[in-house]
Amino acid sequence: MSSNLSIMEFEEIFKKASEVEGLEGMTVNERQYVSGLMKVFDASKWRNRDLARTILKALNVDEPSINKILD
């Protein structure tokens, strides 16, 4: 876990992601939208890459896709 993330943020992100059924059948954007994490991701993509990466990991996005999204 990154030092830029508090325990509460980390737990809240994974809680929201775990509440979504059928993640594997969704696109990354659908996963973000349904979980309620899209706005947080969009805001953090350029300002807090650690947070953006954590959101994508919580949504079960594979590492090569995460790297493409964040590069």
Side-chain angles (χ1 to χ4, degrees), residues 13-58:
I13 288 166
F14 278 87
K15 181 181 183 296
K16 286 184 175 208
S18 70
E19 291 173 348
V20 178
E21 292 183 30
L23 277 179
E24 299 304 321
M26 298 180 189
T27 66
V28 174
N29 283 342
E30 289 170 332
R31 295 174 192 198
Q32 292 172 355
Y33 179 77
V34 172
S35 67
L37 294 168
M38 183 173 266
K39 287 183 181 181
V40 176
F41 176 80
D42 287 344
S44 67
K45 185 175 179 183
W46 304 111
R47 294 184 202 139
N48 187 339
R49 292 173 67 80
D50 291 336
L51 178 57
R53 181 173 293 280
T54 297
I55 290 169
L56 294 173
K57 285 183 179 182

Side-chain angles (χ1 to χ4, degrees), residues 1-7 9-10 48-51 54:
M1 177 172 34
S2 167
S3 59
N4 292 338
L5 289 173
S6 72
I7 298 294
E9 288 171 330
F10 184 82
N48 187 339
R49 292 173 67 80
D50 291 336
L51 178 57
T54 297

